[in-house]
Amino acid sequence: MKKLLLINSPLFFLLLLHHLEVSHAVPLSTNSRWIIDEEGHRVKLACVNWASHLELVVAEGLTKQPVDVISKKIKDMGFNCVRLTWPLDLATNDSLASTTVRQSFVNAGLLDSISDLQANNPSIVDLSLIDAFQEVVGSLTSNNVMVILDNHISKPGWCCSSSDGNGFFGDQYFDPELWISGLTKMATLFQDNPNVIGMSLRNELRGPKQNANDWYRYMQKGAEAVHVANPNVLVILSGLSYDKDFTFLRKQPVTLSFTGKLVFEAHWYAFSDGQAWKNGNPNQVCGRVLNNIKGISEFLLDQGFPLFVSEWGVDLRGINVNDNRYLNCFLAWMVEHDLDYSLWTLVGSYYLRQGVVGMNEYYGLLDSDWSQVRNSSFLERIAVTQSPLQGPGITDRNKHKIIYHPSTGLCIKRNPMTAMGVQLRDCSESNHWTYTPQNTISISGSYVCLQAQGVDRPARLSLYCPGSGTRWVTISDSKLHLSVSLSRRNRVCLDVDSDNNLITTTCKCLSNDNKCDPGSQWFKMVDAANTISTGFESQPQLM
């Protein structure tokens, strides 16, 4: 990451805070829907996925950069955690596990890549695959990055389809007893590493054989096996239908011998909803999809379990309409619930994916050479997600609201350059807001509130609260438009101009129109209990 890219960016500020990290006591556990440390304080998992499950069974990127450089980049980008994927064969097939990294490249016909691997990671090139995997975990550990071990697939390769033989218990490559043996081995292998804080038992259960009865039977057995081998790790369970569906848990809870360690993981991409975001009206699609998610996975928060969104992501070139519209809705939802997550993906390119050598990964945070951030504005946009807003050890402080703008990742703040102006700024600078029973949005501890002055005019602060133009309500299916009625026939919505100043304009894209993008008018009032710190001082240091 070049400093020139960051010098005038909030990310530059994040790097300056690196020395302010605060230690958290491990192991981690759960307190209702929150993940906490040994002192009972909330630990927000802000993770990124690092793939190590494809044909070569080597963590991607080692031909491009030294492993320690990659680990440092993860930390420098504001993440405190990696979901490191692994295939079951790595733990259950001794012949594969003992194959050297060099030989794995030879077997794949990637002879030209070995010199790059030798140049960047000479200490890894002749290690066995299982030892190289441990070396990657060790590098993350030395850089104070937490690790979640994710059993992504059984047979090494790209994931996932419903007919690849890896989808559900009893499939061609998915022997339940062998799977439990593999989980036990991996849990045991890392039992003395406190930075390995969780194990995700299986990625994206799917296919024609999936059923709730077998889910309970084997997932509970797998959870117990992991806990016996390493009682310090969080046990993370995925749902059905590509990790989207937990509706069966409404009728029957998971029964385990242990408590305080169970986390559920869910996935949500734009393509989870087909091309709905591109072909439909974004307000209506957002409302419909969020209502569906509440019924199939979000309800677990109300039942007192953490919901870990272990995969989500977008095409970081910014050219995918389906992804772009989904992202605004997704970020509003994730910030509202202050969810733990793992972004797909760190990977800038793959050694070999689906027969293509060196395939570029456009969802990857890093570019194809793994040397620079692919889209620095995206990191600025998600910075608010990387530190906790709520939870144990935080909620006893000053409760307030922030007003989040997912399209920019910024929050509303009083403009210090004008008497009563308002603008979007980094969320760490946000005012503390209160939404009153009179529907006014007021700065906490003050007499001023947010006011609309008219169509295509600047929003401002007013001393007349409540008064004309100060009664704000959420409208549209998405519930992301903040709107005011100026008269019986004149309603405006909060918007933002090109200089990040707040204005009010005619409400747009409320229904039917699928050509319209309402992103600039989408805002979310979010509960917070502490001044936001979009930096490293809020992240765990586990050394």
Side-chain angles (χ1 to χ4, degrees):
M1 188 187 307
K2 292 184 178 179
K3 291 183 181 179
L4 290 176
L5 292 175
L6 300 173
I7 193 71
N8 292 316
S9 158
L11 288 179
F12 182 69
F13 176 67
L14 304 190
L15 300 184
L16 296 179
L17 293 172
H18 188 276
H19 67 285
L20 296 175
E21 295 178 65
V22 175
S23 296
H24 287 270
V26 291
L28 305 184
S29 59
T30 64
N31 176 359
S32 184
R33 59 145 297 188
W34 307 108
I35 294 169
I36 60 172
D37 65 15
E38 275 198 320
E39 296 173 353
H41 297 145
R42 165 87 190 278
V43 176
K44 173 76 175 279
L45 297 183
C47 313
V48 63
N49 282 274
W50 191 354
S52 186
H53 66 275
L54 277 75
E55 283 89 345
L56 274 72
V57 199
V58 177
E60 302 293 334
L62 300 188
T63 58
K64 304 291 187 179
Q65 297 288 333
V67 63
D68 199 51
V69 169
I70 297 173
S71 295
K72 283 182 169 66
K73 282 181 181 291
I74 293 167
K75 195 75 173 178
D76 288 346
M77 288 188 292
F79 299 96
N80 64 0
C81 168
V82 161
R83 181 178 180 248
L84 186 63
T85 67
W86 58 280
L88 185 62
D89 282 0
L90 180 64
T92 59
N93 183 329
D94 290 339
S95 177
L96 175 68
S98 62
T99 299
T100 66
V101 173
R102 183 191 299 273
Q103 189 61 49
S104 185
F105 276 79
V106 171
N107 293 345
L110 301 183
L111 302 182
D112 293 342
S113 299
I114 295 175
S115 60
D116 293 330
L117 180 66
Q118 179 75 49
N120 283 293
N121 289 286
S123 65
I124 289 179
V125 65
D126 289 313
L127 292 180
S128 67
L129 293 180
I130 190 65
D131 287 345
F133 187 85
Q134 292 180 79
E135 190 78 6
V136 172
V137 174
S139 174
L140 292 167
T141 297
S142 68
N143 284 283
N144 299 323
V145 178
M146 295 180 285
V147 179
I148 292 171
L149 302 177
D150 166 58
N151 177 222
H152 208 71
I153 200 166
S154 294
K155 181 181 173 62
W158 182 248
C159 181
C160 302
S161 82
S162 60
S163 59
D164 62 9
N166 290 275
F168 200 71
F169 306 108
D171 279 358
Q172 181 180 0
Y173 304 114
F174 199 171
D175 179 332
E177 297 306 320
L178 191 64
W179 170 71
I180 291 171
S181 175
L183 290 176
T184 300
K185 181 172 181 178
M186 291 298 275
T188 302
L189 189 62
F190 293 100
Q191 64 182 339
D192 295 326
N193 186 333
N195 272 60
V196 177
I197 55 91
M199 289 191 63
S200 174
L201 300 197
R202 187 69 175 199
N203 177 68
E204 294 194 353
L205 295 168
R206 60 197 181 276
K209 290 185 178 180
Q210 64 179 338
N211 65 89
N213 287 338
D214 282 342
W215 187 95
Y216 284 104
R217 177 184 179 186
Y218 293 117
M219 291 298 266
Q220 290 175 167
K221 287 181 68 174
E224 295 286 2
V226 166
H227 182 70
V228 168
N230 185 354
N232 290 328
V233 293
L234 299 171
V235 176
I236 305 171
L237 306 186
S238 60
L240 299 175
S241 301
Y242 290 86
D243 217 350
K244 294 185 293 185
D245 183 10
F246 286 101
T247 52
F248 51 91
L249 289 177
R250 289 182 175 275
K251 298 179 180 179
Q252 179 183 340
V254 173
T255 302
L256 298 170
S257 64
F258 60 91
T259 60
K261 289 287 180 178
L262 187 59
V263 176
F264 293 101
E265 63 176 315
H267 294 177
W268 181 18
Y269 293 97
F271 55 74
S272 303
D273 312 304
Q275 293 294 306
W277 297 95
K278 178 181 178 181
N279 297 331
N281 173 268
N283 269 303
Q284 293 173 310
V285 174
C286 183
R288 181 175 72 249
V289 170
L290 288 180
N291 186 61
N292 180 57
I293 286 174
K294 186 172 184 178
I296 63 176
S297 60
E298 184 190 313
F299 72 90
L300 290 166
L301 298 174
D302 296 329
Q303 288 192 354
F305 295 102
L307 182 64
F308 175 49
V309 186
S310 59
E311 283 190 31
W312 65 278
V314 293
D315 185 333
L316 291 176
R317 294 173 295 177
I319 62 175
N320 187 313
V321 173
N322 208 49
D323 279 4
N324 294 345
R325 291 178 173 182
Y326 140 89
L327 184 59
N328 289 330
C329 181
F330 173 84
L331 288 177
W333 174 73
M334 189 164 67
V335 173
E336 176 188 11
H337 296 288
D338 197 13
L339 295 170
D340 302 283
Y341 69 84
S342 186
L343 172 71
W344 189 275
T345 173
L346 172 72
V347 174
S349 58
Y350 298 94
Y351 308 125
L352 178 67
R353 172 180 156 183
Q354 296 168 295
V356 179
V357 176
M359 180 185 284
N360 201 339
E361 173 57 272
Y362 295 117
Y363 278 52
L365 282 173
L366 300 178
D367 64 10
S368 59
D369 290 329
W370 291 64
S371 60
Q372 296 188 44
V373 174
R374 186 180 296 272
N375 183 337
S376 59
S377 64
F378 175 78
L379 284 181
E380 295 169 13
R381 191 170 168 185
I382 68 168
V384 71
T385 71
Q386 294 177 319
S387 60
L389 302 177
Q390 307 174 51
I394 300 173
T395 53
D396 56 345
R397 303 178 188 176
N398 184 28
K399 295 184 179 180
H400 61 280
K401 292 184 183 292
I402 59 172
I403 307 172
Y404 174 68
H405 188 244
S407 183
T408 60
L410 302 176
C411 293
I412 297 180
K413 181 185 187 298
R414 184 175 191 162
N415 187 343
M417 305 301 293
T418 62
M420 301 297 270
V422 282
Q423 61 182 178
L424 291 178
R425 296 290 294 268
D426 188 286
C427 289
S428 63
E429 303 174 30
S430 173
N431 290 112
H432 292 190
W433 298 89
T434 301
Y435 188 58
T436 72
Q438 294 78 32
N439 297 339
T440 63
I441 300 174
S442 303
I443 295 179
S444 298
S446 79
Y447 296 102
V448 299
C449 64
L450 188 63
Q451 181 187 44
Q453 299 184 87
V455 179
D456 297 327
R457 295 191 63 190
R460 66 189 295 271
L461 296 173
S462 172
L463 289 170
Y464 301 99
C465 313
S468 176
T470 66
R471 297 180 184 273
W472 298 87
V473 294
T474 55
I475 64 169
S476 78
D477 290 359
S478 68
K479 296 182 174 60
L480 293 174
H481 280 85
L482 285 174
S483 177
V484 164
S485 290
L486 298 176
S487 65
R488 184 174 298 178
R489 297 183 179 181
N490 190 8
R491 175 175 290 277
V492 293
C493 282
L494 198 61
D495 208 328
V496 58
D497 68 15
S498 58
D499 294 320
N500 282 344
N501 293 310
L502 274 296
I503 59 175
T504 50
T505 61
T506 302
C507 301
K508 61 183 180 183
C509 317
L510 298 184
S511 63
N512 299 323
D513 185 358
N514 68 344
K515 304 296 184 183
C516 184
D517 187 348
S520 69
Q521 290 190 345
W522 278 4
F523 294 83
K524 190 69 182 182
M525 285 191 285
V526 176
D527 290 328
N530 191 18
T531 300
I532 298 169
S533 52
T534 51
F536 292 99
E537 75 271 25
S538 62
Q539 305 300 350
Q541 179 176 335
L542 300 178
M543 291 295 289

